[in-house]
Amino acid sequence: MTIRDVAALAGVSVGTASRVLSGNSATSPAARERVRVAAEKLGYRPDARARALRSTRSHAVGLLVSDVRNPFFADIAHGAEQAALASSYVTLLANANEDTAQQDTYLEAFLTQRVDGIIVAPQGEGGGNLRAVERARTPLVFVDRTVDGFDVPSVTADNAQGIELAVAHLAALGHTRVGYIGGPSSVSTGRARHEAYLAAVARHGLDDDAELVTVGDFRSASGAAATAKLLAGRRPPTALLAADSLMAVGALGEVRRQGRRIGADVALVALDDIELFRELDPPLTVVAHDARALGERAMRLLLDVIDGRPAASQVLPMRLVVRESSTGRSGR
Amino acid sequence: MTIRDVAALAGVSVGTASRVLSGNSATSPAARERVRVAAEKLGYRPDARARALRSTRSHAVGLLVSDVRNPFFADIAHGAEQAALASSYVTLLANANEDTAQQDTYLEAFLTQRVDGIIVAPQGEGGGNLRAVERARTPLVFVDRTVDGFDVPSVTADNAQGIELAVAHLAALGHTRVGYIGGPSSVSTGRARHEAYLAAVARHGLDDDAELVTVGDFRSASGAAATAKLLAGRRPPTALLAADSLMAVGALGEVRRQGRRIGADVALVALDDIELFRELDPPLTVVAHDARALGERAMRLLLDVIDGRPAASQVLPMRLVVRESSTGRSGR
């Protein structure tokens, strides 16, 4: 389907059809009507890619999340997409699946689709096609995570403050042995949360032996494995702190399989809130991101970069939501 | 960044640079090396949209899901995307947010991005830009849901069989009053599951009064409201059947807020399985889709359509997974 087909059906020249379709007034009302009808009949639409080659704007932006099946990133995507639509941009989502090779594949795809800008929750130590995005001078913003060595504006959560809130809460309840289920050290949030846990444990004078620290990969199976390891220790922790929601899901299952009760037998606090956590029995204490706000702010920051406005990185606070998984009170 | 910049830096003509970059062998080794170094230095990449204007393939496909925050659609997206990558296609995801206007916006975006094909879990009664996709002759496949009046290959689940499995299970446990929390009648799965519920209730001789039937919108708040209405009836149901996972989450919360216990006081069966359901206390009985398989099959079907191979619609079976939310046995 090309403009030639439209012109042929309308019985006008390609030049006339082109002038009508581009809104040029140097055309007769009769020609305009014939071209309009022909274009409608044939389902012709101007090619955005061809227009973008001339106009430089596609009004599409790319958002690459780490794991589309993680509710935290789904909420970020929803917030970003709504903010984009409010400014007449569409958001093309892609899923890195916590994999740097797949991240590179989709960054390449975004560049070849000529998106106007890209938001990434990045994997890995940097390099790869993140450098290609930088070389192509495509506007780039990081969300949730950052990569060392990139001068890229970002919207992240205050991980140190969030972990401190969780540890202070557990310390105030009398826990001295807080088992930590951490994220991978290849991700900035994994590193920041681990450091924050060590600092908070020292600040509150809690036990700091190495067997209280485990490392997962932000997926639920790793949370279950870490919990099994922690509970099998010589002096098991009385409280667990999971560095993301999916690892907390794994911890919940492992505690149940061991015949113990969350809340009554072992306290659990999760980083990230998901809708189901408040419906659990007992409901789960969390340190909550506002994931939707992270997505909205990141998109507005990207649109600032695209439009050449000043763009400063932002760090959003986290919030402690106390429910019965840590206080042990029954909801019934 | 254009091929002119590459040619200038390499000190060759634009024609030579073009021949080198398109792999034409009628070039000298020295020119090839100079162009290669210049392109690398400048971060030049051929414009996929410009190539697509000539070659007709972008090797990108669009996938429009109903709600990216619904784990069922996130699993479909993951399955589809992995199947696409295996055939060297990238998947651009978009979120209709259970909204027909937003569906139209993203279908338009996919068409202007010149994707090679589109998979949709459709909203609404048809029309809108689904007709524009048809007119543009862009390959189209439906997943999970269909729209009447469209001759489009689809991969769906056997909703009638799934609902029958759930009702038969509850009937065998002695329940005669099964409260139904249904989806919207504007969605094919909402209609199909409601009809299947009525047929199964008749088949098993269960109570069929109208107050046992409620309608939600596939979001959790509507599941909570429907549950409140069902439990406030003159003769409340002894079992609940929720037509999707998010409405089941709402039902869980409402039952807990009313001080009753899932399993012991009221049975609950959900359509769709999500990871957290098996970790609940008690774990949730579900009729499970294989969401990942739905996504994989839909993508392979789309690639068949794109490549002109025969493409027949597929209906995948559902599977009953009995856990303690219906049998009332304690896991402890």
Short mmCIF file of all heavy atoms in Angstrom, two decimals, chain A residues 20-55:
data_model
loop_
_atom_site.label_atom_id
_atom_site.label_comp_id
_atom_site.label_asym_id
_atom_site.label_seq_id
_atom_site.Cartn_x
_atom_site.Cartn_y
_atom_site.Cartn_z
N VAL A 20 -2.18 16.66 -0.96
CA VAL A 20 -3.40 16.55 -0.15
C VAL A 20 -3.07 15.90 1.20
O VAL A 20 -3.46 16.40 2.25
CB VAL A 20 -4.47 15.72 -0.89
CG1 VAL A 20 -5.63 15.39 0.07
CG2 VAL A 20 -4.98 16.45 -2.11
N LEU A 21 -2.34 14.79 1.15
CA LEU A 21 -2.11 14.02 2.38
C LEU A 21 -1.18 14.75 3.34
O LEU A 21 -1.20 14.49 4.54
CB LEU A 21 -1.56 12.63 2.04
CG LEU A 21 -2.58 11.72 1.33
CD1 LEU A 21 -1.90 10.48 0.76
CD2 LEU A 21 -3.70 11.30 2.29
N SER A 22 -0.36 15.68 2.81
CA SER A 22 0.51 16.43 3.72
C SER A 22 -0.15 17.75 4.13
O SER A 22 0.48 18.58 4.78
CB SER A 22 1.86 16.69 3.05
OG SER A 22 1.68 17.51 1.92
N GLY A 23 -1.42 17.95 3.74
CA GLY A 23 -2.15 19.13 4.23
C GLY A 23 -1.84 20.40 3.46
O GLY A 23 -2.19 21.50 3.87
N ASN A 24 -1.17 20.28 2.29
CA ASN A 24 -0.86 21.44 1.46
C ASN A 24 -2.15 21.99 0.86
O ASN A 24 -2.95 21.25 0.30
CB ASN A 24 0.11 20.97 0.36
CG ASN A 24 0.66 22.13 -0.45
OD1 ASN A 24 -0.04 23.11 -0.72
ND2 ASN A 24 1.93 22.01 -0.82
N SER A 25 -2.36 23.30 0.95
CA SER A 25 -3.65 23.87 0.51
C SER A 25 -3.71 24.10 -0.99
O SER A 25 -4.77 24.42 -1.52
CB SER A 25 -3.90 25.18 1.25
OG SER A 25 -2.86 26.09 0.96
N ALA A 26 -2.58 23.94 -1.69
CA ALA A 26 -2.58 24.18 -3.14
C ALA A 26 -3.21 23.00 -3.88
O ALA A 26 -2.61 22.42 -4.79
CB ALA A 26 -1.16 24.43 -3.63
N THR A 27 -4.42 22.61 -3.48
CA THR A 27 -5.13 21.49 -4.09
C THR A 27 -6.60 21.88 -4.17
O THR A 27 -7.08 22.69 -3.38
CB THR A 27 -5.01 20.23 -3.22
OG1 THR A 27 -5.28 20.59 -1.85
CG2 THR A 27 -3.62 19.63 -3.28
N SER A 28 -7.33 21.27 -5.12
CA SER A 28 -8.75 21.62 -5.26
C SER A 28 -9.58 20.84 -4.25
O SER A 28 -9.20 19.73 -3.85
CB SER A 28 -9.22 21.28 -6.68
OG SER A 28 -9.31 19.87 -6.81
N PRO A 29 -10.72 21.42 -3.82
CA PRO A 29 -11.59 20.69 -2.89
C PRO A 29 -12.00 19.32 -3.44
O PRO A 29 -12.04 18.34 -2.70
CB PRO A 29 -12.81 21.62 -2.76
CG PRO A 29 -12.30 22.99 -3.09
CD PRO A 29 -11.22 22.77 -4.12
N ALA A 30 -12.25 19.22 -4.75
CA ALA A 30 -12.66 17.94 -5.34
C ALA A 30 -11.55 16.91 -5.22
O ALA A 30 -11.77 15.75 -4.85
CB ALA A 30 -13.05 18.15 -6.81
N ALA A 31 -10.31 17.34 -5.51
CA ALA A 31 -9.17 16.42 -5.42
C ALA A 31 -8.97 15.98 -3.97
O ALA A 31 -8.70 14.81 -3.69
CB ALA A 31 -7.90 17.10 -5.95
N ARG A 32 -9.13 16.95 -3.05
CA ARG A 32 -8.94 16.61 -1.64
C ARG A 32 -9.92 15.51 -1.21
O ARG A 32 -9.57 14.55 -0.54
CB ARG A 32 -9.13 17.85 -0.75
CG ARG A 32 -7.94 18.79 -0.79
CD ARG A 32 -7.89 19.70 0.44
NE ARG A 32 -8.95 20.70 0.45
CZ ARG A 32 -8.88 21.90 -0.15
NH1 ARG A 32 -7.80 22.23 -0.83
NH2 ARG A 32 -9.88 22.75 -0.07
N GLU A 33 -11.19 15.67 -1.64
CA GLU A 33 -12.21 14.71 -1.26
C GLU A 33 -11.91 13.34 -1.88
O GLU A 33 -11.99 12.30 -1.21
CB GLU A 33 -13.60 15.22 -1.68
CG GLU A 33 -14.76 14.30 -1.34
CD GLU A 33 -14.89 14.01 0.15
OE1 GLU A 33 -14.28 14.74 0.98
OE2 GLU A 33 -15.58 13.03 0.50
N ARG A 34 -11.53 13.32 -3.18
CA ARG A 34 -11.27 12.03 -3.85
C ARG A 34 -10.09 11.31 -3.18
O ARG A 34 -10.11 10.11 -2.97
CB ARG A 34 -10.98 12.26 -5.34
CG ARG A 34 -12.26 12.59 -6.16
CD ARG A 34 -12.15 12.12 -7.62
NE ARG A 34 -10.99 12.65 -8.32
CZ ARG A 34 -10.95 13.86 -8.90
NH1 ARG A 34 -12.01 14.65 -8.87
NH2 ARG A 34 -9.87 14.26 -9.52
N VAL A 35 -9.05 12.06 -2.84
CA VAL A 35 -7.87 11.45 -2.20
C VAL A 35 -8.23 10.93 -0.81
O VAL A 35 -7.84 9.83 -0.40
CB VAL A 35 -6.70 12.46 -2.13
CG1 VAL A 35 -5.57 11.90 -1.25
CG2 VAL A 35 -6.19 12.76 -3.53
N ARG A 36 -9.04 11.74 -0.08
CA ARG A 36 -9.42 11.33 1.27
C ARG A 36 -10.20 10.01 1.23
O ARG A 36 -9.91 9.07 1.97
CB ARG A 36 -10.30 12.43 1.90
CG ARG A 36 -10.42 12.36 3.42
CD ARG A 36 -11.52 13.28 3.93
NE ARG A 36 -12.82 13.00 3.32
CZ ARG A 36 -13.57 11.91 3.58
NH1 ARG A 36 -13.14 11.00 4.41
NH2 ARG A 36 -14.73 11.75 2.97
N VAL A 37 -11.16 9.92 0.30
CA VAL A 37 -11.97 8.70 0.18
C VAL A 37 -11.10 7.51 -0.23
O VAL A 37 -11.20 6.41 0.34
CB VAL A 37 -13.12 8.92 -0.84
CG1 VAL A 37 -13.80 7.59 -1.17
CG2 VAL A 37 -14.12 9.93 -0.29
N ALA A 38 -10.20 7.74 -1.19
CA ALA A 38 -9.34 6.64 -1.66
C ALA A 38 -8.42 6.16 -0.53
O ALA A 38 -8.23 4.95 -0.33
CB ALA A 38 -8.51 7.11 -2.86
N ALA A 39 -7.87 7.10 0.24
CA ALA A 39 -6.96 6.73 1.33
C ALA A 39 -7.70 5.92 2.39
O ALA A 39 -7.21 4.91 2.90
CB ALA A 39 -6.34 7.99 1.96
N GLU A 40 -8.93 6.36 2.70
CA GLU A 40 -9.75 5.66 3.68
C GLU A 40 -10.08 4.24 3.19
O GLU A 40 -9.93 3.26 3.91
CB GLU A 40 -11.04 6.47 3.92
CG GLU A 40 -12.12 5.78 4.75
CD GLU A 40 -11.72 5.56 6.19
OE1 GLU A 40 -10.85 6.32 6.67
OE2 GLU A 40 -12.26 4.64 6.83
N LYS A 41 -10.48 4.16 1.91
CA LYS A 41 -10.87 2.87 1.33
C LYS A 41 -9.70 1.88 1.34
O LYS A 41 -9.87 0.70 1.63
CB LYS A 41 -11.32 3.11 -0.12
CG LYS A 41 -12.18 2.02 -0.71
CD LYS A 41 -12.90 2.57 -1.92
CE LYS A 41 -13.94 1.62 -2.46
NZ LYS A 41 -14.77 2.29 -3.49
N LEU A 42 -8.51 2.36 1.07
CA LEU A 42 -7.34 1.49 0.97
C LEU A 42 -6.66 1.29 2.33
O LEU A 42 -5.72 0.51 2.44
CB LEU A 42 -6.33 2.07 -0.03
CG LEU A 42 -6.80 2.10 -1.49
CD1 LEU A 42 -5.83 2.89 -2.34
CD2 LEU A 42 -6.93 0.67 -2.03
N GLY A 43 -7.13 2.00 3.34
CA GLY A 43 -6.46 1.87 4.65
C GLY A 43 -5.05 2.41 4.61
O GLY A 43 -4.16 1.97 5.33
N TYR A 44 -4.82 3.44 3.73
CA TYR A 44 -3.47 4.01 3.64
C TYR A 44 -3.15 4.88 4.83
O TYR A 44 -3.99 5.65 5.28
CB TYR A 44 -3.36 4.86 2.36
CG TYR A 44 -2.05 5.62 2.26
CD1 TYR A 44 -0.90 4.98 1.81
CD2 TYR A 44 -1.96 6.94 2.65
CE1 TYR A 44 0.31 5.65 1.74
CE2 TYR A 44 -0.76 7.63 2.59
CZ TYR A 44 0.37 6.97 2.13
OH TYR A 44 1.56 7.64 2.07
N ARG A 45 -1.95 4.71 5.37
CA ARG A 45 -1.51 5.68 6.38
C ARG A 45 -0.07 6.07 6.08
O ARG A 45 0.73 5.24 5.64
CB ARG A 45 -1.63 5.14 7.80
CG ARG A 45 -0.73 3.95 8.13
CD ARG A 45 -1.17 3.32 9.42
NE ARG A 45 -2.55 2.90 9.29
CZ ARG A 45 -3.54 3.28 10.08
NH1 ARG A 45 -3.30 4.08 11.08
NH2 ARG A 45 -4.75 2.86 9.87
N PRO A 46 0.29 7.34 6.30
CA PRO A 46 1.68 7.75 6.05
C PRO A 46 2.61 6.91 6.91
O PRO A 46 2.26 6.53 8.02
CB PRO A 46 1.71 9.21 6.50
CG PRO A 46 0.28 9.65 6.61
CD PRO A 46 -0.53 8.42 6.86
N ASP A 47 3.76 6.58 6.41
CA ASP A 47 4.71 5.74 7.12
C ASP A 47 5.48 6.58 8.14
O ASP A 47 6.23 7.48 7.80
CB ASP A 47 5.69 5.13 6.11
CG ASP A 47 6.57 4.08 6.75
OD1 ASP A 47 6.90 4.23 7.94
OD2 ASP A 47 6.90 3.12 6.07
N ALA A 48 5.26 6.25 9.44
CA ALA A 48 5.90 7.05 10.50
C ALA A 48 7.41 6.97 10.41
O ALA A 48 8.11 7.92 10.72
CB ALA A 48 5.46 6.56 11.88
N ARG A 49 7.90 5.79 9.96
CA ARG A 49 9.35 5.67 9.88
C ARG A 49 9.88 6.60 8.80
O ARG A 49 10.88 7.27 8.95
CB ARG A 49 9.75 4.23 9.60
CG ARG A 49 9.38 3.29 10.74
CD ARG A 49 9.54 1.86 10.31
NE ARG A 49 8.88 1.68 9.01
CZ ARG A 49 8.88 0.58 8.33
NH1 ARG A 49 9.51 -0.48 8.78
NH2 ARG A 49 8.25 0.51 7.18
N ALA A 50 9.16 6.65 7.64
CA ALA A 50 9.60 7.52 6.57
C ALA A 50 9.52 8.98 7.02
O ALA A 50 10.43 9.78 6.77
CB ALA A 50 8.72 7.31 5.34
N ARG A 51 8.44 9.32 7.76
CA ARG A 51 8.33 10.69 8.25
C ARG A 51 9.44 10.99 9.26
O ARG A 51 10.01 12.07 9.25
CB ARG A 51 6.95 10.92 8.89
CG ARG A 51 5.90 11.37 7.89
CD ARG A 51 4.64 11.79 8.61
NE ARG A 51 3.96 10.62 9.14
CZ ARG A 51 3.35 10.57 10.30
NH1 ARG A 51 3.36 11.61 11.11
NH2 ARG A 51 2.75 9.47 10.69
N ALA A 52 9.74 9.99 10.11
CA ALA A 52 10.76 10.22 11.13
C ALA A 52 12.12 10.46 10.50
O ALA A 52 12.94 11.21 11.03
CB ALA A 52 10.82 9.04 12.11
N LEU A 53 12.37 9.83 9.34
CA LEU A 53 13.64 10.05 8.65
C LEU A 53 13.79 11.52 8.32
O LEU A 53 14.89 12.05 8.28
CB LEU A 53 13.70 9.23 7.36
CG LEU A 53 13.90 7.72 7.54
CD1 LEU A 53 13.82 7.02 6.19
CD2 LEU A 53 15.24 7.44 8.20
N ARG A 54 12.67 12.19 8.04
CA ARG A 54 12.73 13.61 7.73
C ARG A 54 12.55 14.47 8.98
O ARG A 54 13.25 15.44 9.17
CB ARG A 54 11.61 13.96 6.73
CG ARG A 54 11.71 13.20 5.40
CD ARG A 54 10.70 13.69 4.40
NE ARG A 54 9.33 13.43 4.78
CZ ARG A 54 8.67 12.32 4.45
NH1 ARG A 54 9.25 11.38 3.75
NH2 ARG A 54 7.43 12.16 4.83
N SER A 55 11.59 14.07 9.86
CA SER A 55 11.19 14.99 10.94
C SER A 55 11.99 14.78 12.21
O SER A 55 11.92 15.59 13.11
CB SER A 55 9.72 14.80 11.27
OG SER A 55 9.55 13.64 12.06
#
